[in-house]
Amino acid sequence: VIGGGAAGSLVAARLVTARPPPCVLVLEAGGSYRGRRPGLDAAWELAGLAPEGETAPSDVPRLWSDVSRVEELRWPITSAVVGRLLGGSGAANAMVYVRALPSDVEGWNATRWTWPAVAAAYERLERRLEDPTRRVDADRVTGTAGPLATRRAPLFQGDALAQAFLSAAKNGGLTHVDDFNALPTRANVAGPYDFNIDERGVRASSYAALLEPLTDAPNVKIETRATARRLRRGGGRGLRVEYATA
């Protein structure tokens, strides 16, 4: 698996638990987000936190903007913050969790990857921590037992700025919605987002939620600081990957 980001972590986790279990090698150009990071000591201090044990700055939701500015943890792209570490951008971004729209999926014109199939995949993946029986469409509800935690921002109701913003949006003519993930469209609406924050108040990146719990499995190896250089093909399929380690 080339890349241990949001998608790579999910793919690798599925492979590690497959039967019969294959040997899985994950190549990640960045590093792990565990441990302390240069440039984040001040952020820890300002947040009144101390890095203990395996806690990492990426785990703490309120430090996401500090994490996203650390050059070691991002690709050198000027127009966007793209994470360069295990978990990818999901380990460095603001944790907003938004499902694709049915129209997004239907636009692919895929035979098997239709909206009902995608909605069912979301349902298996999600662990909604509030309103677990909330309906997403006529046939499906949000998932309640999946590995990836989703929830409303823990301090949303008490956030005066957020409430004032939504009130102004409503007064400006936008329709207030309670759930972006239950809509067929998101045009001219305003409302609170869901976030990937788990029961402990910790970031739930796809790496932390899906792949990290499997890293002790005998059939998986994760190489960090490993940059893929070339794909070798034969007979119309990929045969091997050439990569370099820092």
Side-chain angles (χ1 to χ4, degrees):
V1 179
I2 301 174
S9 293
L10 189 153
V11 170
R14 288 288 300 272
L15 290 172
V16 172
T17 56
R19 292 291 179 269
C23 292
V24 180
L25 173 64
V26 180
L27 302 177
E28 169 53 46
S32 170
Y33 68 69
R34 294 300 173 196
R36 301 183 73 161
R37 292 288 182 186
L40 285 176
D41 290 345
W44 280 110
E45 185 177 342
L46 288 172
L49 301 167
E52 300 175 356
E54 290 300 303
T55 303
S58 281
D59 290 326
V60 184
R62 73 182 100 169
L63 295 183
W64 78 267
S65 60
D66 299 277
V67 171
S68 68
R69 289 195 291 266
V70 176
E71 292 193 9
E72 176 194 353
L73 304 181
R74 56 187 290 182
W75 287 94
I77 299 173
T78 57
S79 59
V81 175
V82 181
R84 191 171 184 258
L85 70 164
L86 287 171
S89 296
N93 62 16
M95 293 157 288
V96 172
Y97 178 76
V98 180
R99 284 183 170 195
L101 291 170
S103 58
D104 296 330
V105 178
E106 291 162 2
W108 299 340
N109 292 318
T111 303
R112 296 174 59 188
W113 205 226
T114 60
W115 172 247
V118 172
Y122 278 131
E123 189 176 337
R124 293 192 299 270
L125 183 65
E126 296 167 345
R127 185 171 76 257
R128 172 76 177 182
L129 302 184
E130 304 152 322
D131 305 324
T133 59
R134 182 191 59 183
R135 304 203 73 79
V136 173
D137 56 35
D139 302 312
R140 301 200 176 278
V141 298
T142 50
T144 60
L148 191 65
T150 73
R151 66 187 297 182
R152 188 66 43 80
L155 301 178
F156 168 72
Q157 295 298 339
D159 190 322
L161 179 59
Q163 298 301 327
F165 179 89
L166 290 178
S167 178
K170 184 176 180 180
N171 291 337
L174 298 183
T175 300
H176 180 272
V177 297
D178 189 56
D179 183 3
F180 273 100
N181 289 326
L183 299 176
T185 179
R186 299 190 184 104
N188 301 315
V189 298
Y193 283 119
D194 280 3
F195 293 84
N196 288 128
I197 300 174
D198 71 12
E199 297 90 337
R200 304 166 297 165
V202 170
R203 174 193 293 272
S205 71
S206 62
Y207 171 75
L210 303 173
L211 184 55
E212 190 174 31
L214 304 174
T215 51
D216 289 333
N219 62 320
V220 62
K221 179 180 180 181
I222 298 175
E223 286 268 17
T224 56
R225 312 294 181 190
T227 303
R229 298 297 188 191
R230 181 177 301 166
L231 292 175
R232 292 293 187 180
R233 300 177 60 195
R237 58 178 296 179
L239 299 177
R240 64 182 184 272
V241 180
E242 295 181 3
Y243 66 96
T245 56

